[in-house]
Amino acid sequence: MSYASIAEFKRGIPERDQVNLTDLAVDAQGEVQDDRIQDALDDASAEIDSYLAKVVSLPLAEVPRILKVICRDLALHRLYVNIGHSMEARKSLRDDAIGYLKSVARGDASIGDGGDVPAQITSPGVAMTTGPDRQLTRDRLKGF
């Protein structure tokens, strides 16, 4: 199950761009190929699931809006990559989406579902520091 529908994906993209991204056959008909969009949405959803599976039980009963947005962005990125476009602008969008998913997986962010995870105290109020082992010790300096 995809986090975003084909209709949700199409809503923000001009039809000529949809055709250019999906109608890749040698005998192109000049029509939007919904199956290519669905494949990209399914791939994007699978990528999202790979991050979320650590922190929530899947599938989700209700899809939070942020996941729909991320799913559309990742699917759009995948379609652009498939046609060989330079992805510098779209790459930052993808990187932001993946960064957000990683923060959800770490527990630093919520997917906006109200969260069924109780709040955790992240600091007991005492500063603890650790550092690397000492480089100059009595044993290492013997003989100098």
XYZ file of all heavy atoms in Angstrom, residues 5 11 23 25 32 43 68 98 105 117 123:
80
model
N -1.679 8.472 -3.079
C -2.383 7.901 -4.233
C -1.890 8.559 -5.523
O -1.224 9.598 -5.505
C -3.891 8.142 -4.092
O -4.178 9.527 -4.214
N -1.862 15.786 -8.532
C -2.441 17.079 -8.184
C -1.432 18.224 -8.266
O -1.776 19.326 -8.672
C -3.037 17.017 -6.775
C -3.966 18.146 -6.471
C -4.677 17.982 -5.142
N -5.417 16.736 -5.091
C -5.397 15.880 -4.067
N -4.684 16.140 -2.997
N -6.091 14.774 -4.089
N 5.729 8.489 -19.839
C 5.509 7.882 -21.153
C 6.848 7.693 -21.847
O 7.264 8.476 -22.688
C 4.583 8.766 -21.988
C 3.992 8.027 -23.173
O 4.145 6.793 -23.241
O 3.381 8.695 -24.028
N 7.974 4.800 -23.465
C 8.030 3.751 -24.484
C 8.516 4.318 -25.815
O 8.388 5.513 -26.094
C 6.659 3.117 -24.656
N -0.233 9.999 -19.892
C 0.319 9.688 -18.581
C 0.168 8.194 -18.325
O -0.908 7.627 -18.521
C -0.411 10.490 -17.478
C 0.118 10.116 -16.109
C -0.284 11.986 -17.719
N 7.597 2.165 -4.561
C 9.015 2.157 -4.190
C 9.294 3.166 -3.088
O 10.032 2.884 -2.138
C 9.894 2.461 -5.407
C 9.885 1.347 -6.437
O 9.443 0.225 -6.107
O 10.314 1.602 -7.583
N 2.573 11.454 3.301
C 2.070 11.603 1.926
C 2.981 12.533 1.134
O 3.324 12.262 -0.011
C 0.640 12.133 1.931
C -0.375 11.143 2.443
C -1.772 11.708 2.396
C -2.745 10.679 2.951
N -4.131 11.041 2.679
N 14.770 12.066 3.441
C 15.472 10.948 4.072
C 16.009 11.365 5.429
O 15.947 10.591 6.398
C 16.606 10.420 3.159
C 16.027 9.846 1.865
C 17.454 9.388 3.878
C 15.062 8.699 2.057
N 13.310 7.598 12.795
C 13.827 6.285 13.190
C 14.658 6.379 14.472
O 14.646 5.460 15.294
C 14.670 5.686 12.065
N 4.153 6.789 21.789
C 5.348 6.573 22.588
C 5.343 7.568 23.735
O 5.182 8.763 23.512
C 6.623 6.769 21.725
C 7.871 6.582 22.553
C 6.600 5.833 20.544
N 17.685 13.742 29.665
C 18.851 14.084 30.470
C 18.460 14.054 31.940
O 17.456 14.623 32.337
C 19.355 15.481 30.108
O 20.357 15.876 31.005
